[in-house]
Amino acid sequence: MIAEAGLAALWLAAAMAGLQLLLAANVVYSAREEMVRAIRPVAIAQGFLVALAMLCLILVFAKSDMSVKLVVENSHSAKPMLYKLAGAWGNHEGSMLLWVTILGIAGAAVAVFERRLDQRTLSATIGAQALIAVGFYAFLLIASNPFARVFPAPADGEGLNPLLQDPGLAFHPPTLYIGYVGISVAFSFAVGALVTREVGPAFARAMRPWVLGAWVFLTLGITAGSYWAYYELGWGGWWFWDPVENASLMPWLAATALLHSVSVLATRDGLRAWTIMLAVVAFSMSMIGTFLVRSGILTSVHAFAVDPERGAFILALLAIYIGGALALFAMRVGTVRQGNVFAPLSREGALVVNNLLLSVILGIVLIGTLYPIVAAGFGVHLSVGKPFFDKTTGPIALGLVVFMAAGPLLRWRRDQANALLKRMTWPVAGFGVALIVLVPFAWGIGVLPLAGLALAAGLAVASIAPLWGRNLRRTPLFTWGMVIAHLGIAVSLAGMASDSAFTKETLVVARIGEPHAVGPYWVRLKGLRPVIGPNWSAIAADLSVTRGEGGAPFILSPQARYFSDPPTSTNESAIATRLDGQLYTVLGQPDPSGGYQLRLWWKPFVTFIWLGGAMVALGGMLSLIGRVRRGRVRVVEDYYA
């Protein structure tokens, strides 16, 4: 009955989305008061019903209901409860339902909380959100029913991909989906403003919290996903330029450009057309990512579906939504008035350059991701990997860091070159000192890592420069957010450059008692022992580790695991984290000579990569809270004015 209740809730939610769309169209073209009053409750009802459907799916997974086909294919009664619950969205149908659930809840939140836009623009926005939802409800109900039954019900399920049986599955997909859906809300605001020709600061102020929220969750999702892949896959890397990784990076790049553009429109009434276009591009990247992981054209732990028909369905939705939005933009761009003008040497000018560089990186990643797929369609098989992306995006990203350092030190509207040079004295000094220190001691690490480390130092100094001379207790929260986010980029850049420049790797056949050196550590295999888990068995290697010859020993125990449902072998890395880096160990296969393969990495300051990502997300969250607080104060002031 739970499955039937979930399916019924899903059908009702789809009906509510259709009704929401009709009401919104009526409000936009007739402005009837009763329709205005009805649209908000309908949007809330849709959000409630789709959330109920998602809850029903989680319950059938928690109960291991083997009469539901999705549970049979993606769960097993012996799995720990956490993975049973997370397994609800660890597959194509469940993840799609989660996507639509967040979409419905976001639409309801817009209906409940948004009070600054006029009724026609708000209704057009809610209508655009309903139009997106209708397409995805149709996709779920026609091609991807998560509540389909199987008869007769098997005794047990086939299990979940062991690589997904990790606490990361409980957090990584939901945070990414919230980010994707937040971008869809920004897209809906853009469409709504185009429909009613109300592209201006009011629309930007309404859209900005959603862009900020989406950007924060995308940052968290990408950061968490990077660390999850780093420790779970046992390959010692943090970013592989996998097409599905790129699918999450592209919306983040577009959302970063949109975030800065919408801030200029909200506060300085500039970049109107640019803001609309970026909202469309950001959602396009989100849709392309959805298409890549569900079309069956990629083989990856992230790829949920292998059915080209489903991919064709999503491709059709992408064409309708993005093609329609671009057509609307082409028809209405003549009505988008020019905003306030600004000099090239100004904060707005630096933001425009930043956005252009972000767009260039986005274009390179998009081409590098899609080119092998398109070529395969013509029978040409090739791969575009890390060397291409590093060499093409690396120098542009470092140029971006230069403008990121200068931007917050520039005046709005117009500035003077001499004044800017004076303000840049300390950041340039930070860059110079880092370069002087690094060149003698780290000569030969490569141009990009050297430039990355030096620029990270300069950016770190520039990031805190906006706080100089301020009363820190009276500094607005969103200013703190900007400072922490930019400082996070500097920290993350330092971690990436350090990992690229100083990582040491050792691959050995380890025998009991033999010492092996990697970086400042000595590693000895003490012994091997069997380990039994809830739904797996393993061989664990106990490694005695010392820092230098005389350091205090400690134990690391990497494992080679075997899962029976489904039959899969995995490596469980063991990592020692210290202030200056991580020692990363992986147990491989037994060797005919009687030893075991052992891979060891010493990765100096690699943790800075994820620490910086967390700081960027924290900065975004502080900015969001600061902006929302200021918005509420303005609403109250306007009410009593």
Side-chain angles (χ1 to χ4, degrees):
M1 285 301 292
I2 295 176
E4 281 69 26
L7 186 59
L10 196 57
W11 274 103
L12 287 172
M16 287 292 113
L19 178 60
Q20 184 179 324
L21 179 60
L22 292 175
L23 289 171
N26 196 291
V27 171
V28 170
Y29 292 106
S30 70
R32 292 172 59 184
E33 187 62 30
E34 61 272 24
M35 299 295 176
V36 172
R37 288 196 299 270
I39 194 168
R40 290 181 191 265
V42 170
I44 295 168
Q46 188 220 145
F48 171 77
L49 286 167
V50 71
L52 180 61
M54 187 70 219
L55 178 62
C56 289
L57 185 67
I58 293 173
L59 285 177
V60 295
F61 268 84
K63 291 168 66 70
S64 294
D65 183 350
M66 295 303 164
S67 67
V68 177
K69 185 180 177 185
L70 198 63
V71 179
V72 174
E73 293 176 344
N74 297 279
S75 190
H76 191 281
S77 59
K79 275 199 318 181
M81 181 55 74
L82 175 64
Y83 303 143
K84 286 184 182 178
L85 300 179
W89 54 79
N91 54 78
H92 164 70
E93 291 84 353
S95 66
M96 205 67 249
L97 179 56
L98 177 62
W99 205 101
V100 178
T101 300
I102 298 171
L103 188 73
I105 293 174
V110 171
V112 171
F113 296 112
E114 182 50 52
R115 304 289 173 183
R116 290 166 290 186
L117 285 179
D118 68 84
Q119 285 296 338
R120 286 186 70 243
T121 304
L122 177 61
S123 297
T125 299
I126 294 176
Q129 194 73 2
L131 180 61
I132 298 170
V134 165
F136 281 99
Y137 282 128
F139 178 59
L140 270 172
L141 293 168
I142 295 172
S144 306
N145 179 9
F147 297 104
R149 294 283 193 180
V150 59
F151 183 81
D156 216 327
E158 299 169 6
L160 179 68
N161 184 341
L163 291 175
L164 298 179
Q165 294 185 38
D166 183 90
L169 180 63
F171 309 105
H172 170 55
T175 50
L176 271 185
Y177 290 170
I178 293 173
Y180 288 154
V181 173
I183 288 177
S184 82
V185 177
F187 170 81
S188 297
F189 271 109
V191 170
L194 279 175
V195 167
T196 58
R197 299 180 174 85
E198 293 291 340
V199 180
F203 133 78
R205 283 193 286 271
M207 184 170 79
R208 181 166 54 186
W210 291 95
V211 179
L212 255 172
W215 185 77
V216 166
F217 279 99
L218 276 178
T219 305
L220 285 174
I222 292 172
T223 303
S226 168
Y227 192 66
W228 179 16
Y230 169 78
Y231 74 77
E232 181 64 20
L233 298 183
W235 60 293
W238 54 271
W239 193 265
F240 191 64
W241 293 104
D242 176 280
V244 183
E245 289 177 332
N246 295 348
S248 66
L249 178 63
M250 290 187 289
W252 185 85
L253 290 168
T256 304
L258 174 61
L259 176 61
H260 291 91
S261 182
V262 77
S263 294
V264 173
L265 177 53
T267 57
R268 301 290 161 178
D269 194 11
L271 305 179
R272 293 185 174 201
W274 184 242
T275 301
I276 294 288
M277 180 53 73
L278 281 174
V280 175
V281 169
F283 185 60
S284 303
M285 295 302 107
S286 173
M287 289 291 293
I288 288 174
T290 304
F291 167 71
L292 285 175
V293 298
R294 297 167 199 284
S295 61
I297 61 176
L298 296 176
T299 302
S300 165
V301 67
H302 302 84
F304 290 122
V306 291
D307 183 355
E309 291 182 7
R310 291 174 174 174
F313 202 125
I314 294 178
L315 200 59
L317 292 179
L318 193 154
I320 293 170
Y321 295 144
I322 305 307
L326 290 175
L328 179 64
F329 179 77
M331 289 189 295
R332 294 290 170 84
V333 69
T335 66
V336 178
R337 290 186 298 104
Q338 182 185 16
N340 291 328
V341 296
F342 50 84
L345 187 61
S346 62
R347 188 177 292 191
E348 293 96 325
L351 289 172
V352 168
V353 174
N354 263 13
N355 283 0
L356 289 174
L357 293 175
L358 282 167
S359 301
V360 172
I361 295 173
L362 171 59
I364 292 171
V365 176
L366 181 63
I367 292 170
T369 303
L370 296 183
Y371 181 56
I373 298 171
V374 175
F378 292 95
V380 179
H381 296 282
L382 52 86
S383 64
V384 177
K386 190 172 185 300
F388 166 80
F389 289 108
D390 285 351
K391 289 178 181 176
T392 51
T393 63
I396 301 172
L398 293 182
L400 181 65
V401 169
V402 174
F403 284 94
M404 191 189 306
L409 303 180
L410 282 162
R411 304 291 186 201
W412 291 106
R413 301 283 170 87
R414 181 182 296 277
D415 207 343
Q416 301 299 318
N418 291 338
L420 173 62
L421 290 175
K422 187 175 180 181
R423 288 180 222 120
M424 287 291 291
T425 300
W426 285 107
V428 171
F431 170 82
V433 169
L435 206 58
I436 291 170
V437 171
L438 285 168
V439 167
F441 295 103
W443 185 254
I445 63 174
V447 174
L448 284 181
L450 182 64
L453 287 167
L455 283 172
L459 177 60
V461 177
S463 298
I464 60 175
L467 299 178
W468 296 345
R470 280 178 177 262
N471 181 337
L472 298 183
R473 296 180 63 182
R474 298 178 64 86
T475 300
L477 204 53
F478 48 80
T479 300
W480 278 106
M482 178 191 70
V483 167
I484 293 172
H486 283 197
L487 190 58
I489 294 288
V491 171
S492 195
L493 176 61
M496 295 174 195
S498 177
D499 181 61
S500 175
F502 304 119
T503 290
K504 303 293 184 186
E505 179 182 1
T506 300
L507 174 61
V508 298
V509 175
R511 296 177 185 80
I512 293 178
E514 289 182 355
H516 302 283
V518 58
Y521 287 96
W522 285 92
V523 179
R524 291 177 175 82
L525 176 62
K526 286 186 63 179
L528 299 155
R529 55 187 168 85
V531 180
I532 300 297
N535 60 339
W536 49 265
S537 58
I539 294 294
D542 289 328
L543 307 176
S544 176
V545 183
T546 59
R547 183 150 186 156
E549 285 289 4
F554 60 92
I555 299 294
L556 286 178
S557 299
Q559 297 177 358
R561 287 186 179 178
Y562 177 74
F563 291 78
S564 57
D565 298 304
T568 309
S569 297
T570 65
N571 297 109
E572 195 73 12
S573 62
I575 301 172
T577 301
R578 299 293 182 266
L579 289 176
D580 59 346
Q582 286 188 327
L583 176 63
Y584 188 112
T585 64
V586 176
L587 178 65
Q589 297 298 313
D591 188 81
S593 64
Y596 261 80
Q597 295 175 5
L598 200 60
R599 296 190 72 173
L600 311 169
W601 285 273
W602 165 241
K603 305 175 82 65
F605 301 106
V606 68
T607 48
F608 279 26
I609 296 172
W610 306 292
L611 173 63
M615 290 174 65
V616 172
L618 174 64
M621 185 59 71
L622 292 177
S623 295
L624 177 61
I625 295 170
R627 292 294 180 188
V628 170
R629 275 185 183 174
R630 173 165 285 194
R632 286 183 177 177
V633 170
R634 283 182 174 171
V635 168
V636 172
E637 288 174 350
D638 292 345
Y639 180 82
Y640 288 103

